[in-house]
Amino acid sequence: MTTEPHSFPRRHARTQRFTLGAPRSFTVAPDGSRVVFLRSGSGTDRANSLWVLDTEEGGERVAADPRALLGGASEDLSPEERARRERSREGGAGIVGYATDTAVELASFALSGRLFAAELRAGTARELPAPGPVIDPRPSPDGRHVAYVAQGALRVVGAEGEGDRALAEPESENVSYGLAEFIAAEEMGRSRGFWWAPESDRLLMARVDDTPVRRWWIADPAHPEREPQRVPYPAAGTGNAEVRLFVIGLDGLRTEVAWDRARYPYLAHVHWSAAGAPLLLVQARDQRSQLILAVDPGTGATRMVHADEDRTWLDLFPGVPCWSPSGQLVRIADEGGARVLAVGERPLTGAQLHVRAVLDVSAHDVLVSASAGAEAAGEAETGQVHVYRVNELGVERVSQEPGVHAAVRAGDVTVLVSATLNRPGSRVQVLRDGKPTRTVPSYAEDPGMSPRVTLTEGGARRVPCAVLMPRDYDGDTPLPVLMDPYGGPHGQRVVAAHNAHLTSQWFADQGFAVVVADGRGTPGRSPAWEKAIHHDFTLSLDDQVDALEDLAKRHPLDLSRVAIRGWSYGGWLAGLAVLRRPDVFHAGIAGAPVTDWSLYDTHYTERYLGTPAEHPQSYAKSSLVTAEGLSSPAEPHRPLMIVHGLADDNVVVAHALRLSSALLAAGRPHEVLPLSGVTHITPQEQVAENLLLLQVDFLKRSLGITTA
């Protein structure tokens, strides 16, 4: 079979999975005249510039070029900025994020810890004097000020650079103002810690005190001369950061926002628009109850707008809660066995849609992202996500071609981002009144290969699956199998998108039939499907096995040679597979695996397993390092490669080391591949390339595959 031992892994790494050069992070001006976005100059250029598209004339211009603004100097990122990028899985450089005023005329961004502003109509950018390193600068809605965080203080400066001052400064090294705490950024989808009032005269500001959080040390053993990094990490069952919220004026006078923080300690979402009072979504620690609160900015008092309870857990959704322009509450809720959009007290969707996010709310409709609901889903809809317009008159699908779609909208202009199976990358169209008028060019490289993928379902539970065969495979000879899952919450892998399957296809081209299966716990089907793993992650493994055995009835799969690889939750799943089901899996690669769930963070782990003190058996059953975790019904013990970045501050390397120690004590064969200086993501080009090559070598050795 034809192999590409060097070309694809190197290009895949150099292009950051063929994402460099693709337009991203869109903002549409309210009058529809401009679309602002980020894009780097080529498919191998990491440095994003800020661009403006004129929707009437169709011309593009650069509003801010990071190389010009830095005078050719290399970027210098603060530890705080590196941590923010790690939380958002950001591997790019240059301008990686920006914010605008309401009119989308002024943009602000941080570059190398310095503060910059761009006039979007004129296409000019300038540096504003500010103490650094600057984090998360955001213009006021009227464009007259820019607020930002530096050294844990929330500061504000005039849009022309005048009057820089601190509004709130930390009282100790454990306190910060205007930043999201670790679990908010990592697990809640809240990367921000301050929000402007629509009148631009004050802000809502989070105060985070990390004092209650345990300190961990992240060291780099390859460089013993460097001091280890001391980080607060809220492991399951231990203390969280204390988060308070204040209304603060431009004069620095503050009023605390009052709610029952003892009962609802998690500040999950904040919304402040001209349509109504500020909204907060606060959650109980067990995430089975939550409140939507309206804030009186003058007094800090709150009133309950809505309350939710669920016997398993309550999910968080992008874009909600928020007010509609008419002042009705917009939310996503699990009702009647479906995930629905509700405006006011009325659900506007039913079982036909599984609503994922609210993208925009206008006076006429709500724009949402959704997949087919459990009752409407079938094999033909596997892996598809569409954009819909929803109002009291019904539901209209905006995206038409089969694939995965997302959108940003303001007024009558919508930016539709579409990925399909038959086209590399994503196509970005500008729609006006629903009709395509412009296309935003992508500079991303063409991968030079098209996945030979079949989207299907497997097993009695109709597990969504992708099956990939070598591109030059035309026979009926059964092939060794590589299961390639993520398999857990928030991680849908079976999608109707070309580039999502490139790595799996490359593995297939090395002589494997590759199977990707999204079992219970993965998103996209129904609330019951996602919540089935409550207190038992091991159901994820059951679904992998069921799907595999069913697919083998329809595809040429050699079940005597089955391997599994995965990263993070998928790494845990790979380890679980070879330890618990050696009768099915003959080799595994566990990348950055969570081997002991008591070492993972509070908001994620306690949602699914409860606390270690209250539910020790849930942790023991899902652990790879307990006696139960290492038990398997019979010999033989299967080969396992454990891969872990030593600088990982999300799934710390202690997970891999504890698993290796337990395996050694049990006399089980395994290999450990430590990645010096690598975090939970692997942006380093040579590391990412060689990691793929080493995995193929391990799989072939372990399964007894000889290279022709």
Side-chain angles (χ1 to χ4, degrees):
M1 293 188 178
T2 301
T3 62
E4 296 174 315
H6 301 294
S7 60
F8 175 81
R10 173 59 64 118
R11 293 182 66 224
H12 186 258
R14 182 169 294 172
T15 62
Q16 293 193 357
R17 303 173 302 282
F18 301 96
T19 61
L20 298 180
R24 48 174 272 201
S25 305
F26 299 94
T27 304
V28 181
D31 63 3
S33 64
R34 294 176 305 286
V35 174
V36 185
F37 60 96
L38 299 177
R39 185 178 57 199
S40 64
S42 74
T44 56
D45 181 8
R46 293 179 60 237
N48 291 290
S49 295
L50 185 67
W51 292 77
V52 178
L53 168 69
D54 185 320
T55 59
E56 297 292 342
E57 302 297 328
E60 295 180 356
R61 63 181 183 275
V62 176
D65 180 345
R67 292 182 175 89
L69 293 173
L70 293 180
S74 59
E75 289 187 75
D76 181 18
L77 301 181
S78 67
E80 293 81 6
E81 178 62 21
R82 292 185 186 278
R84 279 174 56 85
R85 296 189 184 192
E86 182 69 20
R87 302 285 72 77
S88 63
R89 309 297 188 261
E90 174 61 67
I95 304 170
V96 299
Y98 68 96
T100 71
D101 61 355
T102 299
V104 192
E105 295 186 353
L106 180 73
S108 64
F109 53 91
L111 191 58
S112 199
R114 293 152 57 184
L115 175 60
F116 292 87
E119 298 286 352
L120 298 175
R121 285 188 185 271
T124 59
R126 63 185 184 277
E127 183 173 2
L128 302 181
V134 170
I135 295 175
D136 195 25
R138 294 179 176 272
S140 58
D142 63 9
R144 296 177 60 190
H145 298 89
V146 177
Y148 64 96
V149 178
Q151 298 179 355
L154 179 64
R155 304 184 67 91
V156 67
V157 63
E160 299 299 326
E162 77 284 0
D164 182 88
R165 59 199 181 278
L167 299 182
E169 297 184 276
E171 297 84 1
S172 73
E173 65 176 3
N174 296 334
V175 173
S176 65
Y177 285 96
L179 296 177
E181 73 277 20
F182 176 92
I183 55 171
E186 182 69 40
E187 309 297 359
M188 300 181 200
R190 177 172 67 79
S191 60
R192 302 173 55 182
F194 67 89
W195 300 263
W196 278 102
E199 300 82 9
S200 303
D201 59 342
R202 49 191 167 180
L203 305 97
L204 277 169
M205 170 187 69
R207 179 187 186 272
V208 174
D209 185 351
D210 276 330
T211 302
V213 183
R214 285 184 182 176
R215 265 47 183 178
W216 284 4
W217 298 90
I218 308 295
D220 185 356
H223 293 277
E225 74 280 4
R226 297 177 184 172
E227 288 191 5
Q229 182 185 3
R230 185 172 181 258
V231 299
Y233 191 92
T238 69
N240 277 313
E242 180 186 77
V243 180
R244 298 160 64 186
L245 192 66
F246 294 86
V247 179
I248 189 163
L250 297 183
D251 56 4
L253 294 178
R254 68 175 79 172
T255 301
E256 184 163 6
V257 178
W259 79 90
D260 186 355
R261 290 190 296 110
R263 177 73 181 89
Y264 300 96
Y266 289 140
L267 177 65
H269 184 78
V270 177
H271 166 79
W272 200 353
S273 72
L279 283 178
L280 313 181
L281 175 61
V282 295
Q283 279 192 331
R285 178 152 177 170
D286 64 11
Q287 300 172 63
R288 291 187 289 182
S289 62
Q290 64 186 24
L291 302 178
I292 300 174
L293 304 173
V295 180
D296 181 337
T299 66
T302 57
R303 62 177 175 86
M304 187 179 73
V305 178
H306 186 82
D308 286 302
E309 291 188 356
D310 191 284
R311 61 188 180 87
T312 50
W313 71 74
L314 291 158
D315 278 301
L316 301 172
F317 307 104
V320 287
C322 66
W323 296 118
S324 72
S326 63
Q328 290 186 293
L329 181 67
V330 180
R331 59 190 178 90
I332 297 173
D334 293 346
E335 296 181 1
R339 183 153 294 159
V340 302
L341 171 72
V343 178
E345 294 303 317
R346 180 181 175 183
L348 296 187
T349 61
Q352 80 276 19
L353 288 186
H354 184 75
V355 180
R356 295 166 172 254
V358 166
L359 307 175
D360 182 58
V361 182
S362 74
H364 308 291
D365 58 37
V366 180
L367 198 70
V368 304
S369 168
S371 47
E375 294 184 9
E379 193 168 271
E381 289 80 27
T382 298
Q384 295 192 47
V385 181
H386 284 280
V387 175
Y388 297 85
R389 293 176 59 241
V390 181
N391 58 27
E392 293 183 352
L393 300 178
V395 176
E396 176 189 358
R397 200 167 94 180
V398 176
S399 50
Q400 296 303 318
E401 57 184 342
V404 177
H405 306 267
V408 175
R409 184 181 72 172
D412 61 356
V413 170
T414 301
V415 176
L416 181 66
V417 183
S418 303
T420 65
L421 277 174
N422 59 6
R423 185 177 59 235
S426 295
R427 181 174 65 184
V428 179
Q429 293 178 291
V430 179
L431 314 180
R432 189 178 289 274
D433 293 325
K435 298 179 177 59
T437 61
R438 308 287 178 196
T439 299
V440 182
S442 173
Y443 302 153
E445 286 196 4
D446 189 316
M449 59 188 287
S450 293
R452 182 176 173 174
V453 58
T454 301
L455 298 183
T456 184
E457 296 176 339
R461 284 180 286 273
R462 298 171 41 236
V463 173
C465 296
V467 180
L468 296 100
M469 292 295 183
R471 286 174 292 161
D472 60 357
Y473 177 75
D474 294 316
D476 297 322
T477 304
L479 295 175
V481 183
L482 175 61
M483 301 293 287
D484 192 14
Y486 179 78
H490 316 299
Q492 183 177 1
R493 287 283 317 280
V494 180
V495 292
H498 180 282
N499 285 23
H501 301 287
L502 290 174
T503 302
S504 295
Q505 183 63 56
W506 181 78
F507 274 100
D509 289 344
Q510 312 313 306
F512 297 92
V514 177
V515 174
V516 182
D518 283 347
R520 285 169 291 177
T522 58
R525 174 166 286 186
S526 71
W529 177 267
E530 295 177 11
K531 296 177 182 181
I533 60 171
H534 195 220
H535 292 309
D536 188 1
F537 281 155
T538 66
L539 295 182
S540 300
L541 177 59
D542 297 341
D543 287 352
Q544 297 291 315
V545 173
D546 291 348
L548 172 67
E549 293 177 344
D550 184 51
L551 291 173
K553 301 172 185 176
R554 292 173 275 141
H555 298 274
L557 308 182
D558 180 357
L559 297 187
S560 70
R561 294 184 294 174
V562 178
I564 182 170
R565 69 180 285 268
W567 194 268
S568 198
Y569 191 100
W572 165 82
L573 187 53
L576 187 77
V578 297
L579 294 175
R580 302 280 179 91
R581 295 300 305 269
D583 57 318
V584 175
F585 298 96
H586 308 95
I589 300 172
V594 181
T595 65
D596 180 349
W597 287 99
S598 68
L599 293 180
Y600 201 58
D601 72 55
T602 53
H603 194 269
Y604 182 99
T605 315
E606 293 172 11
R607 179 191 309 133
Y608 307 117
L609 300 181
T611 64
E614 294 176 346
H615 300 279
Q617 288 308 309
S618 296
Y619 281 78
K621 186 174 185 180
S622 298
S623 172
L624 302 185
V625 299
T626 61
E628 184 173 355
L630 290 171
S631 64
S632 60
E635 299 284 349
H637 296 156
R638 302 301 190 183
L640 175 64
M641 172 186 276
I642 306 166
V643 185
H644 217 119
L646 299 181
D648 196 334
D649 67 349
N650 179 20
V651 183
V652 296
V653 73
H655 287 274
L657 297 178
R658 291 188 183 187
L659 176 58
S660 178
S661 295
L663 292 172
L664 184 62
R668 290 176 175 265
H670 66 284
E671 302 177 16
V672 179
L673 180 60
L675 307 177
S676 178
V678 172
T679 60
H680 201 58
I681 57 177
T682 53
Q684 296 90 337
E685 184 176 314
Q686 287 184 318
V687 172
E689 174 192 15
N690 289 322
L691 192 53
L692 288 178
L693 297 172
L694 289 170
Q695 288 181 64
V696 168
D697 176 71
F698 171 81
L699 293 172
K700 289 185 174 181
R701 283 191 286 112
S702 300
L703 297 181
I705 300 172
T706 57
T707 303

